[in-house]
Amino acid sequence: LDDMFAQASKLSFSNGDPNSTSGFLVPGYYVFAKNGKDPQKIFARTVSANHEANALSVANNTVDVATCNNEGLARLAITAPEKAKELRVIWKSPLIPSDPLVWRKDLPEETKKKITDFIFSYGVKGENVEQARKILTALQWGPFIKSDNSQLIPLRQLELFRAKTVLEGNKDMDAKEKAAKIADIERKLAELGK
């Protein structure tokens, strides 16, 4: 990242789709905001595309640097291995939750137990374990693991970052009110960072 930042004024950058958590929001916060950088201001040229297009754009020398996600890189290694070999990963984000399974807190305990027993034994033990493993492998998944709300900390940080970005862009808000709200967000971010 240090090399990228040092040369940014000479580089072209393809950011992720603005609606993408892994391709836009995550690098926007962890790479750029945490380093006090605005990609629109530091790069010679900035565009945006989806994960696969970004990876191919770098491999094809259309852009110098781009965001992508693990799934996009894994797909590229299968569909265009020669292109995947042209890429160098320069940063990886902290692990962010991907498609969690959730339930209502008021679900009956008996139902929770049935769901839990099935989910956490799938592909690990039971009558059809080999078939379950094949299904998980085809999906490029591993067995399910237990989690708790702490896995949501990165998403909470990202939501606070998004709220801060919206506030900073609000031209109609009173300056003192805006500063107070931004300070509150920064305090919450610092707490989550612990």
Side-chain angles (χ1 to χ4, degrees), residues 34-134:
K34 287 190 111 180
N35 286 294
K37 310 286 185 191
D38 180 344
Q40 294 289 337
K41 294 178 180 174
I42 65 169
F43 290 106
R45 180 174 67 97
T46 303
V47 295
S48 65
N50 65 36
H51 299 294
E52 292 77 15
N54 276 348
L56 282 171
S57 293
V58 173
N60 291 328
N61 293 312
T62 307
V63 296
D64 301 304
V65 181
T67 64
C68 193
N69 66 3
N70 292 343
E71 291 86 1
L73 291 174
R75 260 191 308 281
L76 191 64
I78 293 167
T79 60
E82 69 288 347
K83 295 294 183 185
K85 289 178 186 173
E86 298 293 319
L87 302 176
R88 177 176 162 224
V89 175
I90 62 170
W91 176 80
K92 286 187 177 186
S93 76
L95 188 62
I96 60 170
S98 177
D99 305 325
L101 299 174
V102 297
W103 60 35
R104 291 189 333 264
K105 289 183 178 182
D106 66 349
L107 209 59
E109 290 303 317
E110 180 182 323
T111 304
K112 288 179 184 179
K113 180 169 178 10
K114 285 180 183 177
I115 293 169
T116 300
D117 290 349
F118 172 76
I119 292 293
F120 296 117
S121 66
Y122 192 79
V124 177
K125 60 184 175 182
E127 296 175 24
N128 301 317
V129 71
E130 290 306 317
Q131 182 180 355
R133 285 183 183 157
K134 287 178 184 175

